[in-house]
PDB file of all heavy atoms in Angstrom:
ATOM      1  N   TYR A  38      58.458  95.594  49.959  1.00 97.00           N
ATOM      2  CA  TYR A  38      58.398  94.196  49.517  1.00 97.00           C
ATOM      3  C   TYR A  38      57.357  93.467  50.345  1.00 97.00           C
ATOM      4  O   TYR A  38      56.837  93.985  51.345  1.00 97.00           O
ATOM      5  CB  TYR A  38      59.765  93.507  49.594  1.00 97.00           C
ATOM      6  CG  TYR A  38      60.290  93.187  50.977  1.00 97.00           C
ATOM      7  CD1 TYR A  38      60.157  91.908  51.517  1.00 97.00           C
ATOM      8  CD2 TYR A  38      60.953  94.145  51.727  1.00 97.00           C
ATOM      9  CE1 TYR A  38      60.666  91.597  52.770  1.00 97.00           C
ATOM     10  CE2 TYR A  38      61.461  93.855  52.981  1.00 97.00           C
ATOM     11  CZ  TYR A  38      61.303  92.579  53.502  1.00 97.00           C
ATOM     12  OH  TYR A  38      61.803  92.274  54.746  1.00 97.00           O
ATOM     13  N   ALA A  39      57.019  92.249  49.899  1.00 97.00           N
ATOM     14  CA  ALA A  39      56.070  91.410  50.623  1.00 97.00           C
ATOM     15  C   ALA A  39      56.656  90.009  50.770  1.00 97.00           C
ATOM     16  O   ALA A  39      57.395  89.539  49.900  1.00 97.00           O
ATOM     17  CB  ALA A  39      54.735  91.352  49.899  1.00 97.00           C
ATOM     18  N   GLU A  40      56.319  89.361  51.879  1.00 97.00           N
ATOM     19  CA  GLU A  40      56.823  88.018  52.168  1.00 97.00           C
ATOM     20  C   GLU A  40      55.655  87.086  52.467  1.00 97.00           C
ATOM     21  O   GLU A  40      54.742  87.443  53.209  1.00 97.00           O
ATOM     22  CB  GLU A  40      57.766  88.072  53.372  1.00 97.00           C
ATOM     23  CG  GLU A  40      58.353  86.737  53.767  1.00 97.00           C
ATOM     24  CD  GLU A  40      59.277  86.833  54.966  1.00 97.00           C
ATOM     25  OE1 GLU A  40      59.395  87.943  55.553  1.00 97.00           O
ATOM     26  OE2 GLU A  40      59.888  85.802  55.328  1.00 97.00           O
ATOM     27  N   ALA A  41      55.682  85.903  51.880  1.00 95.00           N
ATOM     28  CA  ALA A  41      54.602  84.934  52.076  1.00 95.00           C
ATOM     29  C   ALA A  41      54.835  84.089  53.316  1.00 95.00           C
ATOM     30  O   ALA A  41      55.959  83.685  53.617  1.00 95.00           O
ATOM     31  CB  ALA A  41      54.494  84.029  50.858  1.00 95.00           C
ATOM     32  N   PHE A  42      53.728  83.816  54.028  1.00 92.00           N
ATOM     33  CA  PHE A  42      53.716  82.837  55.108  1.00 92.00           C
ATOM     34  C   PHE A  42      52.677  81.775  54.751  1.00 92.00           C
ATOM     35  O   PHE A  42      52.286  81.671  53.589  1.00 92.00           O
ATOM     36  CB  PHE A  42      53.455  83.525  56.445  1.00 92.00           C
ATOM     37  CG  PHE A  42      54.595  84.420  56.861  1.00 92.00           C
ATOM     38  CD1 PHE A  42      54.575  85.787  56.582  1.00 92.00           C
ATOM     39  CD2 PHE A  42      55.712  83.894  57.482  1.00 92.00           C
ATOM     40  CE1 PHE A  42      55.642  86.601  56.936  1.00 92.00           C
ATOM     41  CE2 PHE A  42      56.788  84.710  57.844  1.00 92.00           C
ATOM     42  CZ  PHE A  42      56.749  86.067  57.560  1.00 92.00           C
ATOM     43  N   SER A  43      52.204  81.004  55.668  1.00 85.00           N
ATOM     44  CA  SER A  43      51.334  79.875  55.318  1.00 85.00           C
ATOM     45  C   SER A  43      50.033  80.324  54.642  1.00 85.00           C
ATOM     46  O   SER A  43      49.721  79.893  53.539  1.00 85.00           O
ATOM     47  CB  SER A  43      51.033  79.028  56.554  1.00 85.00           C
ATOM     48  OG  SER A  43      50.483  79.822  57.586  1.00 85.00           O
ATOM     49  N   HIS A  44      49.269  81.194  55.305  1.00 86.00           N
ATOM     50  CA  HIS A  44      48.003  81.653  54.729  1.00 86.00           C
ATOM     51  C   HIS A  44      47.919  83.173  54.696  1.00 86.00           C
ATOM     52  O   HIS A  44      46.846  83.728  54.466  1.00 86.00           O
ATOM     53  CB  HIS A  44      46.812  81.095  55.522  1.00 86.00           C
ATOM     54  CG  HIS A  44      46.763  79.595  55.523  1.00 86.00           C
ATOM     55  ND1 HIS A  44      46.489  78.869  54.386  1.00 86.00           N
ATOM     56  CD2 HIS A  44      46.984  78.688  56.511  1.00 86.00           C
ATOM     57  CE1 HIS A  44      46.524  77.572  54.670  1.00 86.00           C
ATOM     58  NE2 HIS A  44      46.836  77.439  55.958  1.00 86.00           N
ATOM     59  N   THR A  45      49.011  83.843  54.957  1.00 91.00           N
ATOM     60  CA  THR A  45      49.024  85.307  54.984  1.00 91.00           C
ATOM     61  C   THR A  45      50.286  85.815  54.294  1.00 91.00           C
ATOM     62  O   THR A  45      51.162  85.042  53.914  1.00 91.00           O
ATOM     63  CB  THR A  45      49.002  85.841  56.432  1.00 91.00           C
ATOM     64  OG1 THR A  45      50.191  85.407  57.104  1.00 91.00           O
ATOM     65  CG2 THR A  45      47.778  85.357  57.185  1.00 91.00           C
ATOM     66  N   ALA A  46      50.339  87.119  54.132  1.00 94.00           N
ATOM     67  CA  ALA A  46      51.546  87.770  53.611  1.00 94.00           C
ATOM     68  C   ALA A  46      51.867  88.957  54.508  1.00 94.00           C
ATOM     69  O   ALA A  46      50.967  89.611  55.044  1.00 94.00           O
ATOM     70  CB  ALA A  46      51.336  88.231  52.168  1.00 94.00           C
ATOM     71  N   ALA A  47      53.141  89.221  54.697  1.00 94.00           N
ATOM     72  CA  ALA A  47      53.581  90.399  55.442  1.00 94.00           C
ATOM     73  C   ALA A  47      54.008  91.465  54.447  1.00 94.00           C
ATOM     74  O   ALA A  47      54.775  91.188  53.519  1.00 94.00           O
ATOM     75  CB  ALA A  47      54.734  90.054  56.376  1.00 94.00           C
ATOM     76  N   LEU A  48      53.488  92.674  54.618  1.00 96.00           N
ATOM     77  CA  LEU A  48      53.889  93.820  53.802  1.00 96.00           C
ATOM     78  C   LEU A  48      54.894  94.637  54.600  1.00 96.00           C
ATOM     79  O   LEU A  48      54.639  94.976  55.759  1.00 96.00           O
ATOM     80  CB  LEU A  48      52.679  94.693  53.461  1.00 96.00           C
ATOM     81  CG  LEU A  48      51.514  94.040  52.717  1.00 96.00           C
ATOM     82  CD1 LEU A  48      50.398  95.046  52.535  1.00 96.00           C
ATOM     83  CD2 LEU A  48      51.970  93.507  51.380  1.00 96.00           C
ATOM     84  N   TYR A  49      56.008  94.974  53.976  1.00 97.00           N
ATOM     85  CA  TYR A  49      57.011  95.809  54.629  1.00 97.00           C
ATOM     86  C   TYR A  49      56.969  97.181  53.983  1.00 97.00           C
ATOM     87  O   TYR A  49      57.183  97.329  52.769  1.00 97.00           O
ATOM     88  CB  TYR A  49      58.385  95.154  54.520  1.00 97.00           C
ATOM     89  CG  TYR A  49      58.440  93.854  55.285  1.00 97.00           C
ATOM     90  CD1 TYR A  49      58.098  92.644  54.686  1.00 97.00           C
ATOM     91  CD2 TYR A  49      58.784  93.840  56.641  1.00 97.00           C
ATOM     92  CE1 TYR A  49      58.107  91.457  55.398  1.00 97.00           C
ATOM     93  CE2 TYR A  49      58.793  92.655  57.363  1.00 97.00           C
ATOM     94  CZ  TYR A  49      58.461  91.472  56.743  1.00 97.00           C
ATOM     95  OH  TYR A  49      58.463  90.291  57.462  1.00 97.00           O
ATOM     96  N   LEU A  50      56.680  98.182  54.799  1.00 95.00           N
ATOM     97  CA  LEU A  50      56.414  99.540  54.317  1.00 95.00           C
ATOM     98  C   LEU A  50      57.544 100.490  54.682  1.00 95.00           C
ATOM     99  O   LEU A  50      58.263 100.279  55.650  1.00 95.00           O
ATOM    100  CB  LEU A  50      55.105 100.064  54.919  1.00 95.00           C
ATOM    101  CG  LEU A  50      53.892  99.144  54.873  1.00 95.00           C
ATOM    102  CD1 LEU A  50      52.710  99.808  55.555  1.00 95.00           C
ATOM    103  CD2 LEU A  50      53.538  98.776  53.442  1.00 95.00           C
ATOM    104  N   THR A  51      57.651 101.561  53.914  1.00 93.00           N
ATOM    105  CA  THR A  51      58.638 102.598  54.215  1.00 93.00           C
ATOM    106  C   THR A  51      58.392 103.135  55.627  1.00 93.00           C
ATOM    107  O   THR A  51      57.257 103.170  56.098  1.00 93.00           O
ATOM    108  CB  THR A  51      58.549 103.757  53.210  1.00 93.00           C
ATOM    109  OG1 THR A  51      57.211 104.276  53.212  1.00 93.00           O
ATOM    110  CG2 THR A  51      58.919 103.294  51.816  1.00 93.00           C
ATOM    111  N   PRO A  52      59.445 103.569  56.322  1.00 90.00           N
ATOM    112  CA  PRO A  52      59.277 104.076  57.694  1.00 90.00           C
ATOM    113  C   PRO A  52      58.363 105.293  57.735  1.00 90.00           C
ATOM    114  O   PRO A  52      58.311 106.093  56.796  1.00 90.00           O
ATOM    115  CB  PRO A  52      60.707 104.450  58.099  1.00 90.00           C
ATOM    116  CG  PRO A  52      61.591 103.686  57.178  1.00 90.00           C
ATOM    117  CD  PRO A  52      60.848 103.559  55.888  1.00 90.00           C
ATOM    118  N   GLU A  53      57.638 105.415  58.825  1.00 81.00           N
ATOM    119  CA  GLU A  53      56.756 106.569  58.987  1.00 81.00           C
ATOM    120  C   GLU A  53      57.531 107.824  59.359  1.00 81.00           C
ATOM    121  O   GLU A  53      57.084 108.939  59.105  1.00 81.00           O
ATOM    122  CB  GLU A  53      55.690 106.252  60.033  1.00 81.00           C
ATOM    123  CG  GLU A  53      54.747 105.133  59.590  1.00 81.00           C
ATOM    124  CD  GLU A  53      53.681 104.826  60.608  1.00 81.00           C
ATOM    125  OE1 GLU A  53      53.742 105.395  61.732  1.00 81.00           O
ATOM    126  OE2 GLU A  53      52.780 104.018  60.298  1.00 81.00           O
ATOM    127  N   LYS A  54      58.717 107.650  59.962  1.00 81.00           N
ATOM    128  CA  LYS A  54      59.554 108.788  60.336  1.00 81.00           C
ATOM    129  C   LYS A  54      60.994 108.518  59.918  1.00 81.00           C
ATOM    130  O   LYS A  54      61.426 107.362  59.871  1.00 81.00           O
ATOM    131  CB  LYS A  54      59.494 109.044  61.844  1.00 81.00           C
ATOM    132  CG  LYS A  54      58.122 109.463  62.350  1.00 81.00           C
ATOM    133  CD  LYS A  54      58.147 109.693  63.858  1.00 81.00           C
ATOM    134  CE  LYS A  54      56.777 110.093  64.385  1.00 81.00           C
ATOM    135  NZ  LYS A  54      56.806 110.282  65.862  1.00 81.00           N
ATOM    136  N   ALA A  55      61.730 109.584  59.638  1.00 79.00           N
ATOM    137  CA  ALA A  55      63.136 109.442  59.252  1.00 79.00           C
ATOM    138  C   ALA A  55      63.917 108.756  60.359  1.00 79.00           C
ATOM    139  O   ALA A  55      63.719 109.021  61.553  1.00 79.00           O
ATOM    140  CB  ALA A  55      63.736 110.817  58.958  1.00 79.00           C
ATOM    141  N   GLY A  56      64.807 107.847  59.961  1.00 81.00           N
ATOM    142  CA  GLY A  56      65.644 107.151  60.918  1.00 81.00           C
ATOM    143  C   GLY A  56      65.042 105.881  61.468  1.00 81.00           C
ATOM    144  O   GLY A  56      65.738 105.101  62.132  1.00 81.00           O
ATOM    145  N   GLU A  57      63.774 105.635  61.208  1.00 86.00           N
ATOM    146  CA  GLU A  57      63.150 104.412  61.689  1.00 86.00           C
ATOM    147  C   GLU A  57      63.348 103.290  60.678  1.00 86.00           C
ATOM    148  O   GLU A  57      63.709 103.522  59.523  1.00 86.00           O
ATOM    149  CB  GLU A  57      61.651 104.647  61.933  1.00 86.00           C
ATOM    150  CG  GLU A  57      61.355 105.607  63.073  1.00 86.00           C
ATOM    151  CD  GLU A  57      59.868 105.756  63.332  1.00 86.00           C
ATOM    152  OE1 GLU A  57      59.067 105.274  62.499  1.00 86.00           O
ATOM    153  OE2 GLU A  57      59.508 106.341  64.372  1.00 86.00           O
ATOM    154  N   SER A  58      63.095 102.058  61.100  1.00 89.00           N
ATOM    155  CA  SER A  58      63.204 100.911  60.202  1.00 89.00           C
ATOM    156  C   SER A  58      61.859 100.647  59.530  1.00 89.00           C
ATOM    157  O   SER A  58      60.849 101.282  59.846  1.00 89.00           O
ATOM    158  CB  SER A  58      63.663  99.685  60.989  1.00 89.00           C
ATOM    159  OG  SER A  58      62.770  99.417  62.051  1.00 89.00           O
ATOM    160  N   LEU A  59      61.863  99.689  58.599  1.00 94.00           N
ATOM    161  CA  LEU A  59      60.627  99.337  57.910  1.00 94.00           C
ATOM    162  C   LEU A  59      59.567  98.876  58.903  1.00 94.00           C
ATOM    163  O   LEU A  59      59.866  98.196  59.879  1.00 94.00           O
ATOM    164  CB  LEU A  59      60.887  98.208  56.906  1.00 94.00           C
ATOM    165  CG  LEU A  59      61.809  98.513  55.722  1.00 94.00           C
ATOM    166  CD1 LEU A  59      61.995  97.256  54.893  1.00 94.00           C
ATOM    167  CD2 LEU A  59      61.244  99.633  54.867  1.00 94.00           C
ATOM    168  N   CYS A  60      58.326  99.265  58.649  1.00 92.00           N
ATOM    169  CA  CYS A  60      57.230  98.763  59.474  1.00 92.00           C
ATOM    170  C   CYS A  60      56.470  97.707  58.672  1.00 92.00           C
ATOM    171  O   CYS A  60      56.591  97.642  57.449  1.00 92.00           O
ATOM    172  CB  CYS A  60      56.306  99.897  59.915  1.00 92.00           C
ATOM    173  SG  CYS A  60      55.704 100.956  58.585  1.00 92.00           S
ATOM    174  N   SER A  61      55.718  96.863  59.338  1.00 92.00           N
ATOM    175  CA  SER A  61      55.063  95.755  58.648  1.00 92.00           C
ATOM    176  C   SER A  61      53.568  95.732  58.945  1.00 92.00           C
ATOM    177  O   SER A  61      53.109  96.235  59.974  1.00 92.00           O
ATOM    178  CB  SER A  61      55.694  94.420  59.043  1.00 92.00           C
ATOM    179  OG  SER A  61      55.483  94.157  60.407  1.00 92.00           O
ATOM    180  N   ARG A  62      52.827  95.133  57.994  1.00 91.00           N
ATOM    181  CA  ARG A  62      51.398  94.911  58.141  1.00 91.00           C
ATOM    182  C   ARG A  62      51.085  93.491  57.673  1.00 91.00           C
ATOM    183  O   ARG A  62      51.700  93.001  56.733  1.00 91.00           O
ATOM    184  CB  ARG A  62      50.579  95.896  57.291  1.00 91.00           C
ATOM    185  CG  ARG A  62      50.753  97.350  57.638  1.00 91.00           C
ATOM    186  CD  ARG A  62      50.096  97.701  58.963  1.00 91.00           C
ATOM    187  NE  ARG A  62      50.068  99.131  59.163  1.00 91.00           N
ATOM    188  CZ  ARG A  62      51.087  99.848  59.641  1.00 91.00           C
ATOM    189  NH1 ARG A  62      52.230  99.239  59.972  1.00 91.00           N
ATOM    190  NH2 ARG A  62      50.992 101.146  59.795  1.00 91.00           N
TER     191      ARG A  62
END
């Protein structure tokens, strides 16, 4: 999913390894 902020958006990505939480860009 993606979340909006003032002038940017955060992308939440699937974990890179099993057992980890979502990572963001």
Side-chain angles (χ1 to χ4, degrees):
Y38 72 99
E40 180 180 5
F42 293 95
S43 55
H44 299 292
T45 63
L48 302 177
Y49 295 89
L50 313 178
T51 56
E53 295 181 353
K54 295 180 181 179
E57 293 183 349
S58 57
L59 295 177
C60 52
S61 65
R62 298 288 190 277

